[in-house]
Amino acid sequence: MSAQQGRHFLHIPGPSPIPDRILRAIAMPIIDHRSAEFAALGKHVLEGSKAVFKTKQPVVIYPSSGTGAWEAAIVNTLSPGDTVLMAETGHFATLWKNIATRFGVEVEFIPGDWRRGADPAAIEARLAEDKARKIKAVMVVHNETSTGATSRVAEIRKAIDAAGHPALFMVDTISSLASVDYRHDEWQVDVTVSGSQKGLMLPPGLGFNAVSEKALAASKTNKLPRSFWDWEEMIKINAGGFFPYTPATNLLYGLKEALAMLQEEGLDEVFSRHQRLASACRAAVKAWGLEVLCENPAEHSPVLTAVLMPPSHDADRFRKIALEKYNISLGSGLGKVAGKVFRIGHLGECNALALLGALSGVEMGLAAAGVPHRSGGVAAAMADLEAREPGNEASVAAVA
């Protein structure tokens, strides 16, 4: 039987599979982006997006990748020579740092081992030392897609406050928004960056900035040039439901449908579902006798699980064999962990059966690639899922 027969199992940590409802919405005929019909669409998605960020402040939507949204956060708030504080949590924190450096921003990078999220205590200690208030922003990746470790954003906010520091707080939620509980206003985040291709279940192509009043004030006086990314022009024209340049109209139709799907399920249930699936995935990894890359259970990602390969076994070889034999795509290791880990995505529209199918593919792939492991990972995941179903909370201790 051909490995390409039947459904392809896309279990990378984004882009995530696109639900049929969203595909149908995207297939709408193009419309005049200066019409009243478009204005109604624009207003709907600009206002509706606020609920996902949990904010009453403006959300700016760009026709871009998340990388563009990273750049927008930088050029709207900082000036050449400014110092920012970042934490080395993985590959994507490193990439965001590199973009800031290209704009002449000085980055203090708190070293990390790529197995944990940002350390609130280390951030507080460094800010407390900064008596001259040289540091203009703290920049953190909420869910480090390369490692499967989340940073505790609420605790980092408390750390900034405890140090009494006025730095802006910027958070990358590109792989966590609409999958992991996130609260822009409550946690007093100044710029939240995100993208369309993860928890929002859309194709790549939309970038987001949720912007606080403090960040907007900073944008009035900062010195970095911008045109395409300028918040002021966007927010002014967004008031009428329009954009200052040609928008990604059909992706906005998809966004409207995605927002409806999230509202129908309820964000709290979306977050709980992701937690249940992630727990089951880790149960499978444990049963296989393998190791999850993220070391701190409090920082385990609900979005993906990064799995360490045994010594002398190459993760990319395993991924290639699993794809060729079982038609499953798994995430590669990036940067410092290239070839050392593979990543299982369980985000977006993923449900229990989709995850169990993916774990079956992983378990068969491990055997086909000759990777040392124990059997029973899928059964362990099934038991964990059953124990964590709503109403079965008393059973959780039995599988912990």
Side-chain angles (χ1 to χ4, degrees):
M1 182 172 64
S2 169
Q4 303 308 311
Q5 185 181 25
R7 174 182 180 272
H8 175 65
F9 277 73
L10 180 68
H11 281 270
I12 60 175
S16 62
I18 304 171
D20 289 345
R21 282 178 59 176
I22 292 177
L23 287 171
R24 288 193 292 270
I26 292 170
M28 290 284 289
I30 199 74
I31 60 172
D32 176 6
H33 59 284
R34 298 287 178 253
S35 67
E37 183 182 3
F38 181 88
L41 171 65
K43 287 180 179 179
H44 183 96
V45 295
L46 287 162
E47 187 62 30
S49 296
K50 294 179 181 180
V52 184
F53 287 90
K54 296 191 177 178
T55 184
K56 296 180 180 178
Q57 304 302 317
V59 175
V60 178
I61 304 175
Y62 297 102
S64 79
S65 66
T67 304
W70 272 347
E71 184 168 318
I74 292 166
V75 299
N76 279 287
T77 58
L78 301 171
S79 298
D82 280 353
T83 298
V84 301
L85 184 64
M86 300 183 72
E88 185 192 4
T89 51
H91 183 68
F92 291 96
T94 304
L95 292 180
W96 200 11
K97 174 189 78 77
N98 292 345
I99 291 176
T101 301
R102 289 173 188 169
F103 281 102
V105 174
E106 300 291 330
V107 180
E108 288 193 20
F109 210 33
I110 299 173
D113 62 4
W114 290 38
R115 302 197 68 174
R116 291 175 174 269
D119 182 354
I123 291 171
E124 180 179 344
R126 179 62 191 96
L127 293 177
E129 293 172 357
D130 183 29
K131 303 300 183 184
R133 301 299 188 247
K134 182 181 177 183
I135 295 170
K136 301 303 180 185
V138 175
M139 300 166 66
V140 171
V141 174
H142 183 206
N143 184 81
E144 179 52 73
T145 324
S146 64
T147 68
T150 57
S151 290
R152 291 162 281 158
V153 176
E155 293 183 35
I156 295 170
R157 174 74 262 174
K158 290 178 182 178
I160 296 170
D161 292 343
H165 203 286
L168 293 167
F169 189 22
M170 303 191 205
V171 180
D172 165 355
T173 67
I174 291 171
S175 65
S176 60
L177 188 75
S179 299
V180 185
D181 189 16
Y182 185 78
R183 310 176 187 190
H184 177 88
D185 285 359
E186 182 180 331
W187 295 341
Q188 299 174 59
V189 180
D190 294 301
V191 187
T192 298
V193 173
S194 202
S196 56
Q197 73 274 21
K198 310 277 188 174
L200 289 174
M201 304 172 287
L202 294 163
L206 295 180
F208 300 82
N209 280 177
V211 184
S212 75
E213 291 181 3
K214 183 178 175 181
L216 283 172
S219 73
K220 306 295 184 184
T221 59
N222 81 304
K223 303 301 183 186
L224 279 172
R226 65 270 188 185
S227 174
F228 184 88
W229 306 115
D230 187 53
W231 287 341
E232 183 175 9
E233 186 73 5
M234 284 285 275
I235 291 171
K236 179 175 67 176
I237 296 178
N238 283 169
F242 298 109
F243 291 75
Y245 36 69
T246 307
T249 303
N250 288 58
L251 287 180
L252 297 179
Y253 276 124
L255 176 58
K256 180 181 178 182
E257 192 67 25
L259 294 172
M261 292 177 68
L262 292 169
Q263 184 179 37
E264 288 165 16
E265 185 175 2
L267 279 177
D268 287 343
E269 175 51 33
V270 171
F271 302 149
S272 295
R273 170 169 55 83
H274 280 77
Q275 292 283 4
R276 291 194 297 272
L277 295 174
S279 176
C281 189
R282 294 192 300 271
V285 175
K286 181 179 179 181
W288 291 326
L290 300 179
E291 185 179 356
V292 173
L293 180 64
C294 178
E295 288 185 316
N296 183 358
E299 296 173 338
H300 281 154
S301 171
V303 169
L304 75 137
T305 301
V307 184
L308 277 165
M309 292 293 280
S312 76
H313 287 270
D314 182 73
D316 291 335
R317 176 181 174 272
F318 154 70
R319 290 174 50 252
K320 182 174 184 290
I321 290 171
L323 175 61
E324 291 174 349
K325 290 185 70 69
Y326 305 115
N327 202 16
I328 180 170
S329 290
L330 300 165
S332 63
L334 300 171
K336 291 183 180 180
V337 294
K340 299 177 182 178
V341 306
F342 65 91
R343 295 174 296 150
I344 305 170
H346 32 75
L347 70 160
E349 198 190 23
C350 190
N351 62 17
L353 283 176
L355 176 65
L356 291 171
L359 294 176
S360 296
V362 173
E363 189 160 332
M364 291 189 294
L366 291 170
V371 178
H373 70 288
R374 299 191 296 264
S375 61
V378 177
M382 290 174 63
D384 195 87
L385 282 166
E386 183 177 359
R388 294 177 190 278
E389 276 295 306
N392 290 355
E393 290 81 359
S395 304
V396 172
V399 298

